[in-house]
Amino acid sequence: MKKQHLDTLYLTGIALPHKTTNANGQSGQDCGKLWQQFEKGEYFIKIPERLDEKLYAVYFDYEGDHTKPFSYFIGCRVAPGSAAPEGMESIVIPPADYIKFTAKGKIPDCIGETWNTIWRSDLKRAYKADFEIYDERSSNWEDAEVDIYVSV
């Protein structure tokens, strides 16, 4: 696990209308519904000025550690100053240091397993913004790789 510094990320997409929590599997339900909404609404192709073909799933605005409520967002990286289309919003992830994990296997199982490993670790998390990046390696949900960046 090597720490790496990432510069500011500008993202456009959609967010949960409320915070969610990991208690009783609530975040799995809420985040899953947001994924369905993102896919069904074809938001990916509606995001102008995408810088690449990657999808970002962002956990942010934490009210404490991973047991407390947080916000969740799905979107794409865009150029600074890009306007969000109607029905979408933009978020900015400030520069920060991260530890990268890679989830491998069947989605969403491998994602949950990797987060459980992170939660059980002694990693000194910053709880600013953490995110998953879905790219060409995650196109086959039966055998995927997803990078997870955890702020430290």
Side-chain angles (χ1 to χ4, degrees), residues 2-6 96-101 149-150 152:
K2 189 175 130 191
K3 184 164 61 171
Q4 55 187 296
H5 184 81
L6 297 179
D97 291 329
Y98 292 90
I99 300 291
K100 181 176 91 171
F101 294 82
Y149 288 82
V150 177
V152 293

Side-chain angles (χ1 to χ4, degrees), residues 5 10 14 19 39 51 55 57-58 65 69 85 94-95 114 119 129 146 150:
H5 184 81
Y10 300 89
I14 60 173
K19 288 190 174 186
E39 292 295 320
L51 295 181
L55 271 177
V58 184
D65 66 14
T114 303
W119 296 334
V146 177
V150 177

Side-chain angles (χ1 to χ4, degrees), residues 9-84:
L9 293 173
Y10 300 89
L11 304 171
T12 294
I14 60 173
L16 285 176
H18 54 79
K19 288 190 174 186
T20 188
T21 177
N22 290 319
N24 302 316
Q26 187 62 50
S27 64
Q29 294 173 36
D30 292 340
C31 298
K33 286 179 186 172
L34 192 66
W35 274 102
Q36 290 172 359
Q37 179 185 342
F38 190 87
E39 292 295 320
K40 187 177 181 184
E42 299 182 333
Y43 285 96
F44 182 83
I45 60 174
K46 295 177 182 175
I47 298 172
E49 300 182 62
R50 284 192 318 272
L51 295 181
D52 54 39
E53 300 299 304
K54 298 174 184 173
L55 271 177
Y56 289 72
V58 184
Y59 306 81
F60 67 107
D61 197 18
Y62 288 96
E63 290 184 11
D65 66 14
H66 68 275
T67 66
K68 305 292 185 212
F70 58 89
S71 296
Y72 186 72
F73 172 95
I74 300 170
C76 299
R77 203 165 141 230
V78 296
S82 295

